[in-house]
């Protein structure tokens, strides 16, 4: 009896060692696969964070014979002086207003429109038509804003633009679109939704494809219409994905697409300043201004990153209180 127990114990130990060896081998393989990504993040994401010191320094060339690091470390500390200059700037209110308002509109439309399109395309019986529509909507995602800006110029050009040609055909005066700020909020919102709705729609459509079809069959047997199935089956199943996309969007609420706000209006002119100036464009203009210390530019970018991090944590905390399982963190 003892020998049988000893044999069984020995066999169990060998099996445990074998499992441990297999797990260790798998861990080594996964670790090796993760090494290139880890090195990339260290070099390009974490090491450059040393430059955040610029936001707290009055950077000066202390010794021309020395390098950038030496001059940075020996420049005078300004504490929060660079941040104070940025916040008290006369442009800060316009920049903050535009950035927040545009992003709030983008967050709402980039949830409502893609979800609606995903539900509609999912209802198509023809797979060929479904793939065609998906491809047509997804294609703008791969287009550069520089390329898109030329298409927009072809429509909005004062002399030979398509829209002005249509207006003249109806006996109306042409509009100089690139000097009229009142039209640009609608133009920028339209272009942003046009370029991003295909990508967002595919994300929601992939989630819809994972919903158990028996739920729809049960709903149809109970007499539920397509609209009722979408409301009571599809949307509840999409809730975790919608909340995740919402939290990620809120984290970018203090950031904007530089190409959209700079390339599409073909630069921020004085006439379009009130409608197109956002944080990213403002920081870019600061970099191009010769007499603006680089520390103030770094402070503006640092402020943008910190506030964005805070907003995503707050949004996640609120979601965690309401629905713990839908929170990202």
């Amino acid at each position: 009896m003892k020998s049988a127990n000893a044999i069984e114990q020995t066999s169990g130990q060998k099996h445990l060692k074998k499992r441990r060896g297999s797990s260790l081998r798998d861990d080594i393989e996964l670790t090796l696969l993760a090494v290139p990504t880890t090195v990339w993040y260290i070099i390009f994401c974490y090491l450059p964070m040393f430059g955040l010191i610029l936001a707290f320094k009055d950077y000066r060339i202390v010794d021309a014979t020395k390098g950038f690091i030496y001059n940075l470390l020996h420049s005078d500390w300004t504490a929060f002086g660079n941040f104070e200059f940025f916040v008290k700037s006369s442009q800060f209110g316009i920049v903050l207003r535009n950035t927040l308002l545009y992003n709030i509109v983008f967050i709402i439309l980039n949830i409502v429109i893609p979800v609606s399109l995903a539900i509609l395309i999912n209802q198509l019986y023809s797979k060929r038509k479904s793939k065609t529509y998906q491809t047509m909507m997804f294609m703008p995602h791969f287009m550069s804003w520089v390329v898109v800006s030329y298409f927009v110029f072809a429509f909005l050009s004062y002399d030979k633009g398509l829209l002005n040609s249509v207006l003249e055909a109806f006996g109306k005066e042409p509009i100089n679109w690139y000097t009229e700020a009142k039209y640009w909020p609608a133009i920028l919102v339209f272009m942003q939704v046009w370029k991003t709705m295909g990508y967002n729609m595919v994300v929601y459509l992939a989630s819809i494809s994972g919903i158990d079809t028996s739920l729809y069959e049960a709903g149809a047997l109970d007499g539920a219409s397509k609209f009722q199935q979408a409301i009571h089956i599809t949307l509840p199943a999409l809730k975790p994905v919608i909340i995740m996309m919402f939290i990620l969007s809120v984290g970018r609420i203090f950031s904007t697409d530089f190409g959209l706000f700079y390339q599409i209006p073909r630069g921020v002119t004085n006439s379009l300043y009130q409608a197109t100036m956002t944080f990213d464009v403002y920081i870019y203009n600061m970099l191009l201004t010769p007499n603006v210390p680089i520390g103030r530019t770094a402070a503006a970018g640092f402020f943008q990153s910190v506030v964005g991090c805070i907003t995503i944590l707050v949004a996640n905390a609120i979601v965690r209180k309401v629905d713990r399982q839908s929170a990202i963190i």
Side-chain angles (χ1 to χ4, degrees):
M1 188 70 180
K2 290 183 179 180
S3 60
N5 290 336
I7 294 173
E8 184 178 351
Q9 185 176 3
T10 304
S11 176
Q13 291 175 351
K14 290 181 178 179
H15 180 67
L16 182 60
K17 289 181 180 180
K18 185 177 180 180
R19 287 186 59 186
R20 287 179 178 174
S22 178
S23 299
L24 180 61
R25 185 168 57 252
D26 292 341
D27 289 343
I28 292 174
E29 292 175 355
L30 293 173
T31 302
L32 291 175
L33 287 174
V35 165
T37 304
T38 304
V39 172
W40 187 92
Y41 269 96
I42 291 173
I43 295 175
F44 294 103
C45 294
Y46 291 102
L47 288 181
M49 291 179 70
F50 172 78
L52 293 175
I53 299 176
L54 276 170
F56 305 93
K57 288 273 192 174
D58 182 16
Y59 181 74
R60 292 287 185 272
I61 304 297
V62 179
D63 188 346
T65 62
K66 302 293 184 179
F68 170 76
I69 302 296
Y70 177 88
N71 288 285
L72 174 61
L73 295 177
H74 288 80
S75 296
D76 296 332
W77 286 93
T78 61
F80 293 98
N82 291 326
F83 294 91
E84 183 178 358
F85 173 84
F86 169 62
V87 174
K88 291 184 177 180
S89 171
S90 59
Q91 302 173 340
F92 180 77
I94 297 173
V95 171
L96 181 64
R97 179 201 66 187
N98 288 346
T99 304
L100 290 179
L101 290 181
Y102 276 120
N103 277 316
I104 290 172
V105 174
F106 293 161
I107 289 172
I108 295 172
L109 294 181
N110 285 335
I111 291 176
V112 175
I113 295 177
V115 169
S116 301
L117 290 174
I119 292 174
L120 291 174
I121 289 181
N122 186 62
Q123 299 298 326
L124 293 175
Y125 292 103
S126 174
K127 295 298 182 182
R128 184 176 181 181
K129 291 181 179 179
S130 175
K131 296 297 182 183
T132 302
Y133 294 148
Q134 290 180 50
T135 303
M136 293 174 63
M137 295 178 187
F138 196 63
M139 192 177 298
H141 174 73
F142 297 101
M143 297 179 66
S144 167
W145 280 120
V146 177
V147 176
V148 174
S149 68
Y150 285 101
F151 286 105
V152 175
F153 183 74
F155 278 87
L156 303 182
S157 174
Y158 180 77
D159 296 327
K160 299 180 181 180
L162 180 60
L163 289 181
N164 280 338
S165 299
V166 173
L167 291 175
E168 290 177 348
F170 283 95
K172 296 184 177 182
E173 291 293 326
I175 300 173
N176 194 347
W177 301 95
Y178 288 95
T179 60
E180 297 287 344
K182 62 182 179 180
Y183 298 110
W184 280 94
I187 293 172
L188 293 172
V189 169
F190 174 80
M191 295 307 303
Q192 200 275 344
V193 173
W194 170 79
K195 194 173 188 298
T196 60
M197 69 177 181
Y199 176 83
N200 294 328
M201 181 203 65
V202 169
V203 172
Y204 294 118
L205 197 58
S207 300
I208 292 175
S209 64
I211 300 175
D212 190 357
T213 55
S214 63
L215 297 175
Y216 294 102
E217 295 173 358
L221 290 175
D222 290 338
S225 63
K226 293 292 185 180
F227 179 77
Q228 291 173 329
Q229 292 178 27
I231 295 297
H232 298 288
I233 299 175
T234 307
L235 286 180
L238 287 178
K239 186 181 73 169
V241 181
I242 293 174
I243 292 176
M244 180 189 70
M245 298 291 283
F246 170 76
I247 294 175
L248 295 176
S249 298
V250 169
R252 297 189 296 267
I253 199 169
F254 284 89
S255 301
T256 52
D257 194 326
F258 176 79
L260 172 65
F261 288 93
Y262 189 83
Q263 295 292 345
I264 298 299
R266 306 181 73 81
V268 179
T269 59
N270 292 331
S271 56
L272 299 182
Y273 178 84
Q274 294 286 336
T276 58
M277 182 61 70
T278 59
F279 269 118
D280 297 272
V281 179
Y282 175 74
I283 294 171
Y284 176 75
N285 287 339
M286 289 178 68
L287 288 171
L288 295 181
T289 306
N291 58 348
V292 175
I294 191 172
R296 295 177 181 176
T297 307
F302 190 33
F303 171 84
Q304 184 185 27
S305 301
V306 170
V307 176
C309 180
I310 292 173
T311 54
I312 195 171
L313 292 176
V314 170
N316 183 81
I318 295 173
V319 171
R320 191 178 181 86
K321 291 289 184 181
V322 177
D323 186 357
R324 187 181 182 87
Q325 294 182 347
S326 298
I328 296 179
I329 304 172

